[in-house]
Amino acid sequence: MKKVAVVLSGCGVYDGSEIHEAALTLLALSKNEVEYQCFAPDKDQFHVINHLTGEIINEKRNVLVESARIARGNIKALTELKEGDFSGVIFPGGSGAAKNLSTYAYEGEDYSVDEEVARVVKDFHKARKPIAALCIAPVIIAKIIGGRLTTGNDKKTAGILTKAGATHVNKDYNEVAVDEKNRIVTTPCYMVTDNIYKVSMGTEAAVETMLGLMNK
Amino acid sequence: MKKVAVVLSGCGVYDGSEIHEAALTLLALSKNEVEYQCFAPDKDQFHVINHLTGEIINEKRNVLVESARIARGNIKALTELKEGDFSGVIFPGGSGAAKNLSTYAYEGEDYSVDEEVARVVKDFHKARKPIAALCIAPVIIAKIIGGRLTTGNDKKTAGILTKAGATHVNKDYNEVAVDEKNRIVTTPCYMVTDNIYKVSMGTEAAVETMLGLMNK
């Protein structure tokens, strides 16, 4: 049975993992009879957003502890993620990918990627194991590997990805960009729709494409 | 186009809405082309649990504000939920249904239901509009209406539901209990499985059964 690592970045679209994308990723893995293990960095979130008002709350929350909500407690610190234990790794989206896993949301084109996240991406890439990234999470892959990626059809984001060293291709919610050489799979999810059913088509396509690459 | 109200109870299986059940409920509604609006009580959670360790955290969080994470900000206070605006109402599970929407988790058979939640259940029941409840959430319906319900196959929970005035029937993850007279649909979800794909079969069956009742 194949096993995939899922890297979360908190719990909530504005300061953590996009909850639907994360849950639908687990659903697509489970539906395809793939085992999974969730991971997240054990560090404070960049900030905490009140998701009702959109305002910043003067509070500290830990990325691993909040991600555990999505994982129903079954989660490990990202430092424990060893490439050798898995057939692939997947990064759901949400602002957490751009605030906690990288600095993209507040540093724009000068952004950097969390050291431990970078280590994981490099390990899987070196081992030629598939890496999938949803929504805004491809910014992580662009900075570390480059490759042929999509974040949907937003020109500004595409421009920054290109500057980071990637090639951007426009894709819709039900499509994936596949970089066969680098074994990277990306799909835009909530970057191009606000419909959860449409998002599920993207997560399912991404997981199925990953599985296809594993068998090559 | 039909519209269903979804009542959330926080964000996380141990102190709020079970995140997968909530997201999969929205997915099933969206897949069936049903519009939805999320609601939650505007009050403090019973407590806050660190989902990594299972320990209680000395912190206050608001049910509506945390539920907004699952709803991507598109949520209203439960006081604003008017039966006349919707064709049905659905309660996903998670400890929040037993800690924030009712006192079941800490008062056992002497539990009571939040006043505003009780008002909503009574309004929909009176209007003969379908009410669905997942996982442990049927405890709410048992206390207010009674009826023929399932929370899976746990004898202790079934005993308390029976004492509250309901008739309990055993059901598996892919089955629903339907009370046609009272228009109540229940399914056990994570009460009987730990597999998210199996949970999705229950949420889908519950939503489709609700839609069937709406057309009767």
Side-chain angles (χ1 to χ4, degrees):
Chain A
M1 198 173 178
K2 292 203 165 53
K3 196 165 181 183
V4 164
V6 179
V7 181
L8 301 177
S9 60
C11 179
V13 56
Y14 300 133
D15 59 14
S17 280
E18 206 299 310
I19 288 175
H20 304 178
E21 290 174 6
L24 295 173
T25 295
L26 303 184
L27 175 66
L29 290 167
S30 170
K31 193 171 174 182
N32 283 285
E33 296 183 335
V34 177
E35 259 191 275
Y36 57 78
Q37 173 64 50
C38 294
F39 293 90
D42 184 5
K43 66 176 189 181
D44 280 344
Q45 296 182 188
F46 173 65
H47 59 196
V48 182
I49 300 274
N50 176 320
H51 279 56
L52 183 64
T53 63
E55 289 163 354
I56 295 172
I57 307 174
N58 185 16
E59 203 180 285
K60 279 186 189 241
R61 295 191 187 180
N62 177 289
V63 180
L64 175 60
V65 170
E66 297 309 317
S67 298
R69 294 177 173 273
I70 294 175
R72 296 168 49 80
N74 186 6
I75 192 165
K76 294 178 182 175
L78 194 57
T79 48
E80 292 184 55
L81 172 43
K82 307 292 171 227
E83 162 274 309
D85 299 338
F86 297 92
S87 307
V89 62
I90 184 159
F91 294 86
S95 297
K99 290 178 177 175
N100 302 324
L101 305 189
S102 76
T103 64
Y104 177 84
Y106 49 94
E107 295 191 326
E109 62 178 46
D110 299 321
Y111 73 103
S112 59
V113 173
D114 172 277
E115 266 184 38
E116 199 57 28
V117 172
R119 193 267 306 166
V120 167
V121 171
K122 283 177 194 166
D123 285 354
F124 279 81
H125 186 234
K126 201 174 160 191
R128 294 191 51 70
K129 291 180 180 175
I131 303 169
L134 315 178
C135 187
I136 193 65
V139 298
I140 296 165
I141 316 303
K143 187 62 105 179
I144 306 300
I145 304 178
R148 192 173 167 277
L149 311 171
T150 189
T151 49
N153 51 35
D154 179 59
K155 281 188 184 171
K156 196 186 156 200
T157 314
I160 297 181
L161 287 196
T162 305
K163 215 186 154 192
T167 305
H168 186 273
V169 283
N170 288 347
K171 293 286 175 186
D172 208 352
Y173 63 85
N174 54 348
E175 299 175 318
V176 292
V178 188
D179 181 330
E180 297 235 0
K181 185 173 148 259
N182 290 300
R183 306 212 170 198
I184 301 165
V185 180
T186 49
T187 190
C189 292
Y190 276 117
M191 293 292 280
V192 295
T193 180
D194 59 1
N195 180 293
I196 186 171
Y197 179 47
K198 290 183 178 173
V199 168
S200 77
M201 292 181 205
T203 52
E204 223 172 284
V207 164
E208 285 166 12
T209 306
M210 262 186 106
L211 295 177
L213 289 175
M214 281 175 205
N215 297 326
K216 275 189 185 177
Chain B
M1 197 173 177
K2 294 203 163 53
K3 197 167 179 180
V4 164
V6 179
V7 181
L8 301 177
S9 61
C11 179
V13 56
Y14 300 132
D15 59 14
S17 282
E18 206 299 309
I19 288 175
H20 304 179
E21 290 174 9
L24 295 173
T25 296
L26 303 184
L27 175 67
L29 290 166
S30 171
K31 194 171 173 180
N32 283 284
E33 296 184 334
V34 177
E35 259 190 276
Y36 57 78
Q37 173 64 51
C38 294
F39 294 90
D42 183 5
K43 67 176 190 181
D44 280 344
Q45 295 182 188
F46 173 64
H47 59 195
V48 182
I49 301 273
N50 176 321
H51 279 55
L52 183 66
T53 62
E55 289 163 353
I56 296 171
I57 308 174
N58 184 17
E59 202 180 289
K60 280 187 188 240
R61 294 190 188 181
N62 177 287
V63 179
L64 175 59
V65 170
E66 297 309 318
S67 299
R69 293 178 174 274
I70 294 175
R72 295 169 50 81
N74 186 4
I75 192 164
K76 294 177 181 174
L78 194 58
T79 48
E80 292 184 54
L81 172 42
K82 306 296 172 224
E83 161 274 307
D85 299 338
F86 297 93
S87 307
V89 63
I90 185 157
F91 294 86
S95 297
K99 290 179 177 176
N100 302 324
L101 304 188
S102 77
T103 64
Y104 178 84
Y106 46 95
E107 296 191 328
E109 63 179 45
D110 300 320
Y111 73 104
S112 60
V113 173
D114 172 276
E115 266 184 39
E116 199 57 29
V117 172
R119 192 268 304 165
V120 167
V121 171
K122 283 176 193 165
D123 284 354
F124 278 81
H125 186 234
K126 202 175 160 191
R128 296 192 49 69
K129 291 181 179 173
I131 303 170
L134 315 179
C135 185
I136 193 64
V139 299
I140 295 164
I141 316 304
K143 187 63 107 180
I144 305 300
I145 303 177
R148 190 173 167 279
L149 310 172
T150 190
T151 49
N153 51 35
D154 178 60
K155 282 187 183 170
K156 196 185 158 203
T157 314
I160 297 181
L161 286 197
T162 306
K163 215 184 155 192
T167 305
H168 186 273
V169 283
N170 287 348
K171 294 285 177 188
D172 208 352
Y173 64 84
N174 54 346
E175 299 176 318
V176 292
V178 188
D179 181 330
E180 297 234 2
K181 185 173 149 262
N182 290 300
R183 306 211 170 200
I184 300 165
V185 180
T186 49
T187 190
C189 292
Y190 276 117
M191 293 291 281
V192 296
T193 180
D194 59 1
N195 180 295
I196 186 170
Y197 179 48
K198 290 183 178 173
V199 167
S200 78
M201 293 182 203
T203 52
E204 223 172 282
V207 164
E208 283 167 12
T209 307
M210 263 187 106
L211 295 177
L213 290 173
M214 281 176 203
N215 297 327
K216 275 193 182 171

